[in-house]
Amino acid sequence: RALPTMVPVESPPVTWHSREALPEKEGDALPTTAPQSSTSTIQDFRAWCEEQPDCVGFALRRDGAGPAEWGFHPKKRDTGFEAGTAKWNEKKYGAEKWEFHYIQERAGPQQEDALPEFMGGVTGAWRLRKLILDYGQPGDDGPRCGDIVEYRIARVVVGGREVPGVVGDTSRITIGEGVACEAVEFGLQRMRPGERARLTAPWSLVMAAPPSPAGSAEAFMKDGDSVEVELEVEMLSLEAGPATIALRAIEGPDGADDEPPGEEAKEARKRQIADLLEHGKNIKEAGTRLLKGQRRLLALARYLQLVEFLAILDFDAKMEPVDPLTGMLGLTPTVFKEGQQELKQLLGDDIVSQAKALLLAARLNSALCWLQLQEWAKAQGACRQVLDADASNVKALYRMAQAKMGLDEAEEARASLQELLKLEPDNIEARKLLTEATKKCREDHADDRQRMAAVRRAMERAGAKRGAGKPGAGKPGAQEDDHDDPCDESLPSPGGCPTS
């Protein structure tokens, strides 16, 4: 009897995600016969995984010289790795560089940190989590500052109780203007059109700005940020704003040729970058308005996103160490520097100076936001970037000193303030902070001397017991040395070093 004809069934499309880290729980290894050669690509590995119904994804070692040394390790689904609970570890195997690629539809619901990646991991009362309920359109880019988003809130739960009367209406906002609360603004920036997600946020992220989508929930509020709010949000549409359009025009279409541009193309590129600068100024002004309104986290996001927008114009940036793959593509520090010089010559001094001033302002203001959020190390990092480009920037020196005081590094704070006072001897705020730093510095050194004296006395007592009955036993040891006080350095006139 003839066998029935087998009709191949197409596999449903899948959504791939990747992280430059490994999850703590990777799942069991899946036996593989996948070919690996010097011509293998990530797309080859993904295609192989898609054909295996038991494959959730794969780990890939990327610190080899090329694809042949990558190391392909597929993982079996339902054996440990779950996207919703994954904890990522960038240093899991020491200095080795690994990536983890996984198929979302096989990894379970994905709960992730919903603050934008460029926020640098703000924690504490600002934690925001997102759980995808329905996947939207594929793609990697969410809304940027200035993009227009249409969305609706389908459900609000406060402290485990559903809140009626605040759902169902469609809202249309411009990202970055602060019309919606922080939880909705940041949540939307990690979503795609058609996506529905559950945002879990502390009260502070929901009630940071009137009107809030959970405004009528105030009667349910009892314990401040110990109460969590759940917002079920659906993104309906996304429209690119002027800054995104300008940036896309500069980046050009994928696959564009590498032929040297003609004069007309060069002029067009110059106009595009000038447009980007104008949009960048608008982003900075939006951040300033938000900061004046005490919307620190949204203001910080605006300044950090401005730095991201203007990365192409950061002529003071230093290229990171070249990994083997980047070296193979030819992007060496020399090539990087030559590209910067060509762009500077094209744009001219006026546009270059405008870009530098805007970047410095964005970083200085981000440092101010970090300080107000008491994220001292991040504030220090932002100030360091400014000082690398402008070592005599007074605001950066002052905010660096504030960050150092927050980190309990009074001596380093004094050093920054002394540099500042060489530039502006009459700066009253700097002198006030220097007085505080000097007092703290002396207290720290006094504590250190007391600890050392206690250790010395204990050693002397122990020596006296061991040498009991011997000539000279029990005699006092050498007196403590007098140490110069590093906090007593002289200062520029007119104030002199505060000694009281």
Side-chain angles (χ1 to χ4, degrees):
R1 188 173 57 178
L3 294 174
T5 303
M6 301 298 292
V7 179
V9 178
E10 289 188 11
S11 300
V14 298
T15 306
W16 280 95
H17 293 276
S18 64
R19 293 287 296 266
E20 292 183 356
L22 291 176
E24 293 291 350
K25 297 180 180 179
E26 299 180 43
D28 295 345
L30 188 68
T32 175
T33 55
Q36 296 185 60
S37 69
S38 59
T39 59
S40 297
T41 66
I42 291 176
Q43 295 306 320
D44 294 332
F45 297 141
R46 287 185 172 185
W48 183 90
C49 282
E50 290 176 21
E51 294 173 357
Q52 318 302 317
D54 285 342
C55 183
V56 69
F58 56 90
L60 193 68
R61 184 171 176 177
R62 292 296 300 270
D63 53 348
E69 291 80 27
W70 280 357
F72 172 60
H73 303 270
K75 302 295 178 178
K76 190 173 183 180
R77 67 189 298 180
D78 301 324
T79 60
F81 173 73
E82 296 292 337
T85 58
K87 293 182 179 180
W88 302 92
N89 188 342
E90 295 183 2
K91 304 292 184 183
K92 192 167 183 179
Y93 296 118
E96 297 176 0
K97 294 182 180 179
W98 287 81
E99 290 179 0
F100 197 81
H101 299 246
Y102 63 92
I103 298 173
Q104 181 59 68
E105 290 78 4
R106 301 178 187 177
Q110 181 182 20
Q111 181 165 285
E112 60 185 27
D113 183 356
L115 287 178
E117 291 182 7
F118 55 77
M119 297 292 288
V122 180
T123 56
W126 306 110
R127 189 178 181 197
L128 177 65
R129 301 187 304 279
K130 185 187 81 166
L131 180 67
I132 298 175
L133 302 176
D134 290 324
Y135 295 97
Q137 298 175 10
D140 295 325
D141 294 330
R144 289 168 162 163
C145 184
D147 291 348
I148 300 167
V149 173
E150 194 172 45
Y151 71 97
R152 64 183 289 269
I153 293 180
R155 188 167 179 256
V156 177
V157 177
V158 179
R161 299 175 63 185
E162 188 164 352
V163 182
V166 293
V167 299
D169 293 338
T170 298
S171 299
R172 183 179 172 87
I173 66 169
T174 299
I175 294 293
E177 290 187 349
V179 175
C181 67
E182 273 72 349
V184 171
E185 274 251 3
F186 289 129
L188 288 171
Q189 288 187 63
R190 298 297 290 267
M191 295 176 67
R192 311 286 181 270
E195 181 179 325
R196 187 169 60 92
R198 180 185 303 135
L199 304 175
T200 304
W203 187 257
S204 55
L205 285 186
V206 177
M207 292 303 295
S212 165
S216 64
E218 203 151 357
F220 293 80
M221 185 60 192
K222 293 181 179 179
D223 301 318
D225 273 342
S226 64
V227 172
E228 284 193 326
V229 181
E230 291 183 0
L231 304 171
E232 193 171 300
V233 181
E234 180 182 4
M235 182 189 285
L236 304 175
S237 66
L238 169 61
E239 180 182 332
T244 299
I245 293 172
L247 193 61
R248 288 175 180 171
I250 292 170
E251 292 172 344
D254 292 337
D257 59 53
D258 294 327
E259 292 295 323
E263 290 303 317
E264 186 175 340
K266 287 182 179 179
E267 286 302 314
R269 185 172 179 81
K270 187 175 180 178
R271 288 193 300 271
Q272 291 165 352
I273 290 177
D275 288 344
L276 183 65
L277 274 178
E278 287 303 312
H279 297 312
K281 293 174 184 176
N282 294 335
I283 293 175
K284 175 181 172 290
E285 290 172 2
T288 301
R289 288 194 301 270
L290 290 165
L291 188 56
K292 287 180 179 178
Q294 304 299 304
R295 307 286 298 282
R296 298 182 183 93
L297 208 60
L298 278 181
L300 174 63
R302 298 291 75 78
Y303 297 132
L304 294 178
Q305 203 157 33
L306 176 55
V307 172
E308 186 180 54
F309 266 129
L310 298 182
I312 189 175
L313 303 177
D314 190 359
F315 299 111
D316 294 311
K318 295 175 180 160
M319 186 174 177
E320 297 295 325
V322 179
D323 58 49
L325 183 60
T326 306
M328 289 171 62
L329 296 173
L331 187 57
T332 64
T334 301
V335 173
F336 177 75
K337 204 67 180 175
E338 289 174 353
Q340 282 190 319
Q341 290 300 323
E342 289 178 9
L343 185 58
K344 287 175 73 173
Q345 291 174 4
L346 170 66
L347 299 178
D349 293 340
D350 184 47
I351 291 180
V352 169
S353 63
Q354 287 185 51
K356 181 172 182 176
L358 200 53
L359 276 165
L360 285 178
R363 286 176 171 140
L364 278 171
N365 290 345
S366 69
L368 178 59
C369 292
W370 287 126
L371 287 171
Q372 293 184 1
L373 293 169
Q374 297 187 5
E375 294 277 357
W376 313 117
K378 293 183 175 69
Q380 176 183 255
C383 292
R384 175 51 55 202
Q385 288 182 308
V386 175
L387 292 170
D388 285 344
D390 180 9
S392 61
N393 190 288
V394 170
K395 285 185 178 180
L397 288 167
Y398 183 77
R399 290 172 188 172
M400 174 70 87
Q402 289 178 302
K404 291 292 188 181
M405 289 293 286
L407 292 168
D408 202 21
E409 298 175 0
E411 281 193 55
E412 289 82 354
R414 279 175 48 81
S416 294
L417 291 165
Q418 288 171 333
E419 287 297 317
L420 189 163
L421 289 168
K422 290 177 184 176
L423 301 168
E424 290 188 4
D426 295 321
N427 191 308
I428 296 174
E429 293 302 317
R431 290 194 170 276
K432 286 181 180 178
L433 187 57
L434 182 59
T435 301
E436 296 176 24
T438 300
K439 180 181 177 183
K440 182 66 170 62
C441 179
R442 288 183 178 140
E443 290 172 353
D444 292 344
H445 281 278
D447 291 342
D448 290 341
R449 285 194 292 271
Q450 288 176 4
R451 283 192 291 269
M452 291 301 297
V455 171
R456 189 179 292 109
R457 287 193 295 269
M459 294 175 64
E460 289 174 352
R461 286 195 296 270
K465 289 180 181 179
R466 287 195 300 269
K470 296 180 181 179
K475 292 183 180 179
Q479 296 296 314
E480 293 182 15
D481 294 332
D482 291 330
H483 295 285
D484 292 334
D485 186 351
C487 305
D488 277 339
E489 297 174 7
S490 58
L491 298 174
S493 60
C497 180
T499 58
S500 59

